[in-house]
Amino acid sequence: MSQTFGARSTTDEVLEGFDLRGKRVLVTGVSAGLGVETARALAARGAHVIGAARDLAKARRATAGVRGIELIELDLASLASARAAAEALLDDGQILDLVIANAGVMACPKGVTADGFETQFGTNHLGHFVFVNRIAPLLRRGARFVSLASSGHRVADVDLDDPGFKRTEYKEFVAYGRSKTANILFAVEFDRRFRDRGIRAAAVHPGVIQTELSRHTTQEAIEEVIRTYDAPRPDGVATLEFKSIPQGAATSVWAGVAAKADEIGGRYCEDCRVAEVNDAPGLRQGVRSYALDPERAKALWAKSEEMVGQRF
């Protein structure tokens, strides 16, 4: 189980040799892409997977070949839906070994959620913030929480004074970057709060993958992202390459199952390893120091509680 993995590793390679029978895993966003592959790989090792999705009909079609999965409805753009889904799980009362917050939106036009929050911050962060905190009592000792972030966090820190772009010009990738930084900071503070219970949390960057997540993104925007990745590329370093979906989901299952808990707790992972802090310009690799700042994580938690009207 100590094998070293990397950017080209797949979910099946990372999970080879693991027997997950008796484990209960929850994955959000199982209607397409990384969520479906994550659920498939975990279920193939015997885990009972609870797949959460906004569109259950689409999720049923997408997971038709996945054995050992049950589906629940969860619209992360609605706090009422997040709370209802959590309450149903709490009423059921069955313990969870792993939660992977995979669902999200990327670089969408300016809009608001059902509760009036900026769409990307509200969906990617606040929806998961409420849902995961509500189901936290179900996490057994030794459980893990994996929050999917992105190298896009390197575009922007969270803005706790103007999370809704009321005074700031809205830019799709800035909003995305803020929400992905929030995903990391949420994992940092969740880990601090729960590690004494033996529960660890980590954020992961899956890599650059062409999935439905990029449905709002123009070809010009994609090309600009590639140029941004490659602009600070040192001599001898390969140009940006897209990952396959099994490669993209590998870091999620690595952090959730294969890595040592103390290794990944409160950290940001990429390419099936813990990333180094890197504040240099560009999107290429590493985690910005602001995304791991424990005080920033505490401040975001407090701001999030204020926004959703609930303390955790």
Side-chain angles (χ1 to χ4, degrees), residues 155-231:
V155 174
D157 190 4
V158 294
D159 187 335
L160 301 181
D161 295 321
D162 187 23
F165 287 87
K166 296 186 183 303
R167 299 184 302 277
T168 310
E169 179 186 0
Y170 182 81
K171 295 182 179 179
E172 289 88 346
F173 276 103
V174 170
Y176 181 66
R178 289 183 183 184
S179 73
K180 294 291 103 179
T181 296
N183 290 153
I184 303 170
L185 291 171
F186 178 30
V188 169
E189 179 62 3
F190 194 93
D191 185 78
R192 185 189 72 82
R193 288 171 176 248
F194 285 90
R195 62 190 175 209
D196 287 345
R197 286 176 44 189
I199 298 167
R200 305 308 302 264
V204 304
H205 167 47
V208 182
I209 309 109
Q210 290 184 306
T211 69
E212 285 190 8
L213 185 65
S214 60
R215 60 187 175 273
H216 297 293
T217 310
T218 64
Q219 184 60 38
E220 290 77 12
I222 292 172
E223 291 171 359
E224 177 60 28
V225 168
I226 293 173
R227 284 194 295 272
T228 303
Y229 263 91
D230 285 343

Side-chain angles (χ1 to χ4, degrees):
M1 302 301 180
S2 60
Q3 183 178 350
T4 300
F5 301 104
R8 297 297 151 201
S9 299
T10 66
T11 49
D12 287 333
E13 290 169 348
V14 168
L15 293 176
E16 183 177 1
F18 281 94
D19 184 350
L20 301 180
R21 286 175 293 184
K23 303 293 185 182
R24 289 175 55 81
V25 178
L26 189 147
V27 182
T28 68
V30 298
S31 60
L34 298 180
V36 175
E37 171 61 16
T38 301
R40 182 209 63 80
L42 293 166
R45 272 75 192 173
H48 178 82
V49 178
I50 304 157
R54 179 183 60 82
D55 186 338
L56 286 182
K58 182 179 179 183
R60 289 189 191 98
R61 293 191 296 270
T63 60
V66 179
R67 299 177 61 183
I69 187 170
E70 65 173 289
L71 299 176
I72 63 171
E73 184 176 359
L74 171 64
D75 182 356
L76 290 163
S78 163
L79 295 186
S81 177
R83 289 174 173 134
E87 289 307 309
L89 292 168
L90 290 168
D91 288 345
D92 187 48
Q94 297 195 63
I95 298 302
L96 295 169
D97 296 278
L98 171 63
V99 173
I100 299 180
N102 166 84
V105 294
M106 183 179 79
C108 54
K110 187 176 183 181
V112 295
T113 66
D115 304 280
F117 305 126
E118 186 275 312
T119 298
Q120 298 190 74
F121 189 80
T123 304
N124 296 345
H125 171 57
L126 292 176
H128 276 125
F129 179 78
V130 168
F131 178 68
V132 173
N133 275 316
R134 290 285 286 256
I135 64 172
L138 296 176
L139 294 173
R140 75 164 77 246
R141 187 171 185 84
R144 300 186 191 186
F145 165 49
V146 176
S147 175
L148 261 73
S150 168
S151 62
H153 83 276
R154 298 176 60 82
V155 174
D157 190 4
V158 294
D159 187 335
L160 301 181
D161 295 321
D162 187 23
F165 287 87
K166 296 186 183 303
R167 299 184 302 277
T168 310
E169 179 186 0
Y170 182 81
K171 295 182 179 179
E172 289 88 346
F173 276 103
V174 170
Y176 181 66
R178 289 183 183 184
S179 73
K180 294 291 103 179
T181 296
N183 290 153
I184 303 170
L185 291 171
F186 178 30
V188 169
E189 179 62 3
F190 194 93
D191 185 78
R192 185 189 72 82
R193 288 171 176 248
F194 285 90
R195 62 190 175 209
D196 287 345
R197 286 176 44 189
I199 298 167
R200 305 308 302 264
V204 304
H205 167 47
V208 182
I209 309 109
Q210 290 184 306
T211 69
E212 285 190 8
L213 185 65
S214 60
R215 60 187 175 273
H216 297 293
T217 310
T218 64
Q219 184 60 38
E220 290 77 12
I222 292 172
E223 291 171 359
E224 177 60 28
V225 168
I226 293 173
R227 284 194 295 272
T228 303
Y229 263 91
D230 285 343
R233 177 164 54 94
D235 291 341
V237 175
T239 189
L240 173 69
E241 294 182 11
F242 285 90
K243 288 187 179 185
S244 69
I245 288 176
Q247 290 169 340
T251 304
S252 295
V253 299
W254 177 81
V257 176
K260 295 179 180 178
D262 288 342
E263 178 182 3
I264 55 92
R267 307 293 293 275
Y268 170 89
C269 308
E270 60 187 5
D271 296 338
C272 298
R273 61 178 177 79
V274 173
E276 300 289 337
V277 172
N278 177 12
D279 285 326
L283 296 172
R284 166 93 15 192
Q285 281 185 324
V287 57
R288 297 269 192 202
S289 55
Y290 57 65
L292 294 179
D293 183 343
E295 296 306 312
R296 197 73 172 154
K298 292 176 186 177
L300 173 65
W301 189 288
K303 181 65 175 181
S304 301
E305 289 180 325
E306 174 190 322
M307 293 178 74
V308 303
Q310 185 174 6
R311 298 192 65 182
F312 297 103

